[in-house]
């Protein structure tokens, strides 16, 4: 018998992007259903690096601490650009989390699902979507034994998105030119060539016997093994990876003494680069790999998807609750599509520099690039790019801080010492008054929290208005600006003003 379900938002895909979006919607009180075709979570490391800006965003919601308990032990070391042997230094960006954090993807999904379901979201596994229809009022999704009616659908179902295919949307870009294998393995014996602890990417990569490989220790006998071979013929994406294939690569790169004990899971991937032309198709919105795919260089994919969800979540909630200013939901595409395109662009550049069998010209280019990375300004630029800390949205405000993130500064409120990040646990927008310039009795909407505080640091403004995703949409140096532009900004960029 076909089950009929009604909900406000249906999310297809229970990966990091889908579950992060479910957390954000549940926090805002939106009825949310997540459909996942797999019957259970696959304990695969996959995209297991949380970049500094993603760590900051997760801390806004109190999600970072439980994730850190699942982190892989490692030395604090900067990120990388194209695996070049110069760590990226994020300290000039004034972040409390200057190093990438290694956490298996399944651990990230576990924490996000726990939070989403605790907030009221439902996750239904073992349900493959087979049909999507939309009209002026909502979307109907057909799956295994059920039909879901929702006001909006968020497609977070990966690079081979079923929703995207059902809607017939093109996914333009460049097909893969190289294929590789990602496997979570256990080693029963290791040679001196096998790394003992996670370190900088450049220390984890090796070549031998016509293979290139990266072996990342995860604790005990567990490793994440990524490898490929020059001139390798493409194998079907769903063709099983054999033990012999993994053993051959292990011994070629790490010596005969390195012995494969077991394979926990494995998959194939390519360096294809594609991006949807529009992240919104009527009442269907796309996030994560369903909207963009790129070479897995620099630990970008998982972070890009989680940050998509942070941008979309509060906007979609505002639309569902009929509080959204005109154009707010469309701003999701306007803001995130250029960021996705930027990641596709720089991962394409990294693909050239990281070629395991570079030409003489590429080798010369690598040498020049390594020298450039040792220059503080060049390193700072790429550190900001790869970490997400330099991301700035093109918003309409006149203040120079508009569109930026703000470092997690220490504050003192009437209740005592706190930090900026601690103000966002509710998922509300935050109006921070640091100089007593916001008039008393100002008619603020229910989901805009006024916090009066002092700060020992000069943050560059007397009052600041943060969106729920932590980006500044308004700032002022005096009380006059509060009278002139604050309520107009709230009504135009955030939500209805009473």
């Amino acid at each position: 018998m076909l089950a009929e379900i009604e909900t406000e938002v249906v999310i297809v895909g229970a990966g990091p992007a889908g579950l992060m979006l479910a957390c954000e919607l549940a926090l805002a009180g939106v009825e949310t259903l997540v459909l996942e075709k797999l019957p259970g979570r696959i304990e695969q490391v996959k995209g297991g690096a949380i970049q500094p800006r993603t760590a900051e965003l997760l801390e806004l919601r109190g999600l970072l601490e439980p994730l850190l308990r699942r982190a892989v032990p490692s030395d604090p070391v900067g990120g990388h650009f194209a695996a070049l042997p110069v760590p990226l230094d994020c300290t000039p960006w004034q972040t409390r989390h200057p190093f990438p954090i290694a956490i298996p993807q399944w651990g990230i999904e576990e924490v996000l699902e726990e939070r989403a379901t605790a907030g009221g979201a439902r996750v239904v596994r073992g349900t493959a979507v087979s049909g999507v229809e939309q009209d002026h009022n909502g979307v109907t999704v057909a799956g295994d034994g059920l039909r879901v009616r929702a006001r909006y659908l968020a497609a977070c179902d990966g690079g081979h998105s079923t929703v995207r295919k059902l809607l017939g949307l093109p996914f333009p870009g460049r097909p893969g030119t190289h294929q590789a294998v990602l496997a979570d393995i256990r080693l029963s014996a290791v040679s001196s060539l096998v790394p003992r602890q996670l370190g900088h990417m450049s220390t984890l990569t090796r070549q031998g016997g016509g293979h290139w490989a990266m072996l990342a220790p995860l604790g005990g006998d567990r490793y994440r093994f990524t490898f490929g071979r020059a001139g390798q013929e493409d194998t079907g994406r769903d063709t099983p990876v054999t033990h012999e294939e993994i053993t051959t690569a292990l011994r070629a790169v790490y010596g005969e003494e390195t012995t494969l004990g077991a394979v926990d899971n494995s998959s194939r991937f390519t360096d294809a680069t594609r991006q949807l032309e529009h992240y919104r198709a009527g009442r269907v919105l796309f996030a994560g790999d369903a909207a963009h795919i790129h070479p897995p260089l620099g630990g970008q994919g998982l972070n890009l998807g989680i940050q998509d969800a942070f941008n979309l979540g509060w906007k979609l909630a505002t639309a569902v609750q009929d509080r959204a200013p005109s154009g707010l939901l469309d701003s999701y595409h306007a803001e995130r599509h250029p960021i996705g395109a930027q990641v596709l662009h720089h991962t394409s550049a990294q693909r050239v520099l990281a070629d395991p069998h570079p030409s003489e010209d590429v080798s010369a280019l690598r040498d020049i690039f390594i020298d450039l990375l040792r220059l503080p300004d060049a390193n700072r630029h790429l550190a900001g790019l790869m970490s997400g800390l330099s991301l700035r949205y093109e918003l309409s405000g006149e203040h120079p801080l508009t569109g930026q993130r703000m470092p997690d500064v220490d504050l003192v409120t009437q209740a005592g010492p706190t930090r900026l990040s601690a103000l966002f646990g509710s998922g509300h927008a935050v109006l921070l008054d640091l100089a007593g310039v916001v008039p008393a009795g100002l008619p603020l909407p229910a989901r805009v929290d006024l916090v009066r505080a002092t700060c020992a640091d000069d943050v560059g403004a007397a009052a600041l208005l943060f969106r729920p995703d932590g980006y500044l949409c308004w700032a002022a140096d005096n009380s006059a600006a509060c009278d002139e532009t604050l309520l107009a900004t709230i009504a135009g960029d955030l939500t209805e003003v009473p």
Side-chain angles (χ1 to χ4, degrees):
M1 184 175 179
L2 192 66
E4 301 276 354
I5 300 176
E6 289 191 6
T7 188
E8 290 179 313
V9 174
V10 58
I11 299 171
V12 179
L19 291 172
M20 186 71 252
L21 181 58
C23 288
E24 290 293 278
L25 293 172
L27 183 62
V30 174
E31 187 180 27
T32 304
L33 175 68
V34 182
L35 301 179
E36 169 55 53
K37 67 179 180 180
L38 296 178
R41 184 180 298 111
I42 297 177
E43 293 194 2
Q44 188 172 15
V45 174
K46 296 181 73 173
I50 292 179
Q51 295 287 358
R53 181 54 183 160
T54 306
E56 290 183 342
L57 292 173
L58 292 166
E59 190 163 38
L60 298 184
R61 301 294 189 258
L63 286 162
L64 186 60
E65 184 176 346
L67 285 169
L68 290 176
R69 292 197 290 268
R70 292 163 170 79
V72 178
S74 62
D75 293 329
V77 63
H80 72 95
F81 187 85
L84 297 176
V86 182
L88 298 177
D89 181 9
C90 288
T91 55
W93 291 99
Q94 297 177 275
T95 178
R96 295 178 188 264
H97 310 288
F99 308 112
I101 304 166
I103 305 174
Q105 181 168 313
W106 65 266
I108 296 171
E109 293 172 357
E110 184 177 58
V111 170
L112 295 180
E113 184 169 345
E114 287 176 358
R115 175 63 65 85
T117 55
R122 293 174 291 166
V123 178
V124 177
R125 295 184 176 272
T127 301
V129 171
S130 56
V132 174
E133 296 180 359
Q134 60 175 316
D135 53 45
H136 181 71
N137 296 315
V139 184
T140 302
V141 178
D144 295 331
L146 59 79
R147 179 181 290 113
V148 180
R149 179 66 178 176
R151 291 189 63 183
Y152 290 93
L153 162 63
C156 305
D157 53 341
H160 298 271
S161 170
T162 297
V163 174
R164 193 181 62 230
K165 293 173 182 176
L166 288 170
L167 294 180
L169 299 177
F171 200 33
R174 180 172 54 193
T177 58
H178 299 288
Q179 189 178 81
V181 171
L182 174 64
D184 292 342
I185 64 174
R186 298 176 186 269
L187 298 180
S188 57
V190 298
S191 72
S192 61
L193 300 175
V194 173
R196 298 306 194 263
Q197 188 168 345
L198 279 178
H200 191 259
M201 181 66 68
S202 60
T203 68
L204 303 176
T205 56
R206 290 186 61 85
Q207 296 185 49
H211 288 79
W212 61 266
M214 182 182 72
L215 195 58
L218 303 175
D221 62 350
R222 299 176 61 244
Y223 294 80
R224 182 181 62 185
F225 187 38
T226 310
F227 67 91
R229 180 163 50 87
Q232 179 179 355
E233 294 183 4
D234 282 349
T235 306
R237 174 178 173 268
D238 297 323
T239 302
V241 180
T242 66
H243 280 231
E244 180 183 7
E245 192 176 352
I246 295 173
T247 296
T248 298
L250 273 172
R251 290 180 174 172
V253 180
Y254 298 98
E256 294 291 330
E257 311 96 294
T258 302
T259 305
L260 179 64
V263 178
D264 292 338
N265 50 66
S266 58
S267 59
R268 301 183 189 276
F269 66 92
T270 73
D271 59 349
T273 298
R274 299 184 182 278
Q275 186 180 29
L276 272 177
E277 293 178 347
H278 300 283
Y279 285 8
R280 180 182 182 185
R283 288 183 172 264
V284 181
L285 299 112
F286 293 83
D289 288 353
H292 41 69
I293 58 173
H294 54 82
L297 291 162
Q300 299 295 292
L302 179 147
N303 296 272
L304 189 59
I306 287 178
Q307 293 185 39
D308 283 347
F310 257 93
N311 187 286
L312 175 59
W314 69 275
K315 296 175 180 178
L316 184 54
T318 306
V320 168
Q321 295 165 348
D322 298 320
R323 299 181 290 106
S326 175
L328 180 64
L329 194 53
D330 287 327
S331 74
Y332 165 64
H333 166 83
E335 291 178 3
R336 293 304 299 172
H337 191 277
I339 302 303
Q342 183 183 60
V343 171
L344 267 63
H345 188 65
H346 72 65
T347 52
S348 294
Q350 290 183 76
R351 179 170 61 175
V352 174
L353 292 168
D355 189 336
H357 305 285
S359 66
E360 185 177 346
D361 289 346
V362 171
S363 293
L365 180 63
R366 282 174 56 90
D367 291 341
I368 295 295
F369 227 92
I370 290 170
D371 288 341
L372 289 173
L373 278 174
R374 294 192 174 107
L375 301 176
D377 285 349
N379 192 295
R380 179 184 184 276
H381 171 75
L382 287 177
L385 186 69
M386 299 299 289
S387 66
L389 294 170
S390 64
L391 187 157
R392 178 174 185 165
Y393 293 124
E394 295 298 325
L395 304 183
S396 58
E398 296 182 359
H399 197 281
L401 293 177
T402 304
Q404 294 185 14
R405 63 174 273 276
M406 177 67 65
D408 187 13
V409 293
D410 291 310
L411 302 171
V412 178
T413 69
Q414 191 173 26
T418 188
R419 282 162 47 182
L420 178 62
S421 60
L423 306 181
F424 293 87
S426 65
H428 294 179
V430 174
L431 175 58
L432 180 61
D433 184 1
L434 296 175
V437 297
V438 177
L442 192 71
L444 295 175
R447 296 186 67 85
V448 178
D449 297 339
L450 172 61
V451 178
R452 299 187 191 272
T454 59
C455 180
D457 299 315
D458 180 7
V459 301
L464 309 102
L465 178 64
F466 297 88
R467 307 189 317 185
D469 60 357
Y471 287 90
L472 276 160
C473 61
W474 175 90
D477 298 321
N478 51 55
S479 58
C482 297
D483 295 332
E484 295 168 2
T485 60
L486 176 54
L487 291 181
T489 300
I490 292 173
D493 293 353
L494 292 176
T495 187
E496 293 179 348
V497 172

